[in-house]
Amino acid sequence: MTPDELRSLPKYQIIRALLDGTIPFHDVMRAFAIHTSIQELPPEALALVYRCRYGHYHIVVSSSLASEVQQQVLFHELKHVIEDMPSVGYVVGLDKQYEIPEQLADVLLREVSTGLGK
């Protein structure tokens, strides 16, 4: 599948395909200019997302997490890249797990992974 074809798919279909492995992870990340890495982060940070000056998104996940948790955190942050970052630009802060965008990202991951997302 070409990058243009990937970008034309519904967003939730892309995330679901990433979760079930039907679309290769690196193909999707390349198509949407998203770079991922696993790095040492402060203990209070599970991950961070930012958009660099070249317009690429970067998702950094904490290396201290178990691999299953790293994947969940990555998809949680992917929701922010898809829906939140384009409209808000940036968010700075820690301990935001009780705020609406954070809760919606968790709900999205549950819905998409169980087939309820659109």
Side-chain angles (χ1 to χ4, degrees):
M1 188 172 293
T2 69
D4 287 336
E5 290 171 329
L6 276 172
R7 286 191 295 272
S8 71
L9 292 174
K11 294 170 185 172
Y12 299 131
Q13 181 180 346
I14 294 168
I15 294 174
R16 190 176 303 120
L18 282 170
L19 287 168
D20 68 19
T22 57
I23 297 178
F25 174 80
H26 295 289
D27 289 353
V28 174
M29 297 301 113
R30 193 173 319 114
F32 288 93
I34 300 169
H35 303 275
T36 61
S37 64
I38 298 173
Q39 303 290 324
E40 185 176 335
L41 294 174
E44 61 275 2
L46 299 180
L48 62 93
V49 176
Y50 67 94
R51 188 172 184 186
C52 73
R53 63 182 166 189
Y54 302 109
H56 302 145
Y57 288 101
H58 296 263
I59 301 175
V60 181
V61 178
S62 174
S63 60
S64 67
L65 303 173
S67 61
E68 298 85 23
V69 178
Q70 286 176 346
Q71 182 179 11
Q72 291 174 349
V73 168
L74 175 66
F75 284 108
H76 171 102
E77 299 304 330
L78 190 55
K79 184 272 183 190
H80 291 310
V81 169
I82 289 171
E83 289 191 350
D84 302 329
M85 298 287 286
S87 62
V88 298
Y90 68 92
V91 176
V92 177
L94 296 171
D95 199 28
K96 292 187 166 284
Q97 68 268 24
Y98 301 109
E99 294 188 13
I100 299 295
E102 293 301 313
Q103 293 172 356
L104 290 175
D106 289 337
V107 168
L108 169 76
L109 180 58
R110 284 192 300 273
E111 287 179 351
V112 170
S113 65
T114 60
L116 299 176
K118 296 178 180 166

